[in-house]
Amino acid sequence: MMTNPTAAKREVLLFPDATPLTRRAAEEFVQAATSSVAATGSFTVALSGGSTPKALYSLLVDDAGFRSRVPWDMMHVFFGDERHVPPGDKDSNFRMAKEAMLAKSPLKPEQVTRIKGEYPDAEKAAMEYEQELRAYFKLQEGELPRFDLVLLGMGEEGHTASLFPGTKALHPPSNRFMVSNWIGKLFTERTTLTAPAINNANQVIFLVTRADKALALKGVLEGPYEPEQLPSQLIQPTSGKLLWLIDKDAGNLLSPEIAVTGNVGARL
């Protein structure tokens, strides 16, 4: 049995329900943004799909207190993954983020770089997005982008972004950090950042709610290191922070010592 290497450098906070979890996520988002702008003059974030991130995006733009604290003019938005659909499709991560936050924010179109999920060839979309990231971050060959913040969800089988169990994206070519990925169980292609690219971020935040995630979450946080089965275990920032924000339903199988109450904020 391999010991789970994420346990030594993570913070796991447990909340009674999604409302305080979302507010804590918004506070973390604002703190990451303001710290990044103070240090470098800009803030780069890779957004996630899913219902919990959607609530966060809405809160950031609809709540006057949070909206006034986000440095919108210094921000550039990217995406961690995308479905193989046009930008107006109901399943598009871009569409969700646009409707929840982007279209209601002061962000200009040039501050948002989306993945072209409408391309018939998902690999073309992945390669084009990688080139856009290389240009924005001014990367040399072999270098990875360093996002200030990457937001992630987790599926009920332990996937994150579009890194699904047993798929080729878990073992990407060494010269690629954005890849297409065939997911047989969904009979579809997706595009996704690789685990090394996510792990190069300054901060990674998982947002996990709902009881159907509980067993996989226990496996990810407490089980042996088996990332082929539970790809979320691959996320181990190399020189950044890893934060798990979990509601009571998703965390109902966790051992008491794994998580602390969200309003305490103790670091494990």
Side-chain angles (χ1 to χ4, degrees), residues 11 16 33 43 51 63 117 132 159-160 177 188 202 216 243 245 259 268:
E11 185 176 4
F43 172 57
S51 58
D63 182 285
E132 291 184 283
H159 86 268
T160 191
F177 56 79
T188 189
N202 189 55
L243 175 63
L245 304 181
L268 296 181

Side-chain angles (χ1 to χ4, degrees), residues 3-176:
T3 303
N4 190 333
T6 68
K9 55 177 183 178
R10 70 188 183 206
E11 185 176 4
V12 183
L13 302 182
L14 189 64
F15 298 84
D17 56 53
T19 299
L21 182 156
T22 303
R23 294 197 69 84
R24 177 58 181 259
E27 288 289 352
E28 294 286 343
F29 188 102
V30 169
Q31 183 176 342
T34 53
S35 297
S36 297
V37 168
T40 66
S42 66
F43 172 57
T44 56
V45 58
L47 302 185
S48 169
S51 58
T52 309
K54 181 179 181 180
L56 165 62
Y57 306 154
S58 294
L59 184 64
L60 287 169
V61 77
D62 293 338
D63 182 285
F66 286 118
R67 183 187 179 101
S68 66
R69 294 164 59 200
V70 175
W72 300 102
D73 56 334
M74 302 293 190
M75 182 170 154
H76 198 105
V77 173
F78 297 92
F79 290 83
D81 73 316
E82 185 56 277
R83 280 80 179 276
H84 196 195
V85 295
D89 191 278
K90 62 179 178 58
D91 291 328
S92 165
N93 288 342
F94 170 75
R95 175 179 169 173
M96 181 275 280
K98 180 180 178 181
E99 292 178 350
M101 179 177 72
L102 305 179
K104 297 187 288 183
S105 78
L107 290 167
K108 299 178 176 65
E110 58 267 26
Q111 291 175 264
V112 180
T113 304
R114 72 172 183 89
I115 302 164
K116 303 295 188 357
E118 67 270 27
Y119 285 174
D121 182 0
E123 179 62 12
K124 177 184 176 184
M127 292 187 71
E128 183 176 293
Y129 205 66
E130 181 169 301
Q131 290 305 313
E132 291 184 283
L133 289 170
R134 288 185 184 280
Y136 180 88
F137 287 97
K138 298 178 173 61
L139 302 180
Q140 301 299 315
E141 189 64 34
E143 291 182 330
L144 295 168
R146 184 164 175 82
F147 295 100
D148 296 309
L149 176 63
V150 175
L151 297 172
L152 295 174
M154 191 198 77
E156 60 187 44
E157 82 291 70
H159 86 268
T160 191
S162 283
L163 302 171
F164 281 77
T167 57
K168 67 177 184 179
L170 305 187
H171 303 280
S174 59
N175 64 337
R176 295 289 305 281

Side-chain angles (χ1 to χ4, degrees), residues 185-238:
K185 63 172 280 187
L186 302 176
F187 202 77
T188 189
E189 291 266 13
R190 291 192 181 184
T191 51
T192 186
L193 286 172
T194 64
I198 295 170
N199 287 334
N200 201 46
N202 189 55
Q203 183 174 15
V204 179
I205 300 178
F206 274 93
L207 308 174
V208 187
T209 60
R210 301 202 328 254
D212 62 353
K213 314 282 184 66
L215 194 58
L217 183 64
K218 185 176 179 68
V220 169
L221 295 180
E222 297 187 51
Y225 185 63
E226 294 282 358
E228 285 290 326
Q229 298 183 54
L230 299 168
S232 291
Q233 289 184 332
L234 289 169
I235 307 307
Q236 308 160 38
T238 51

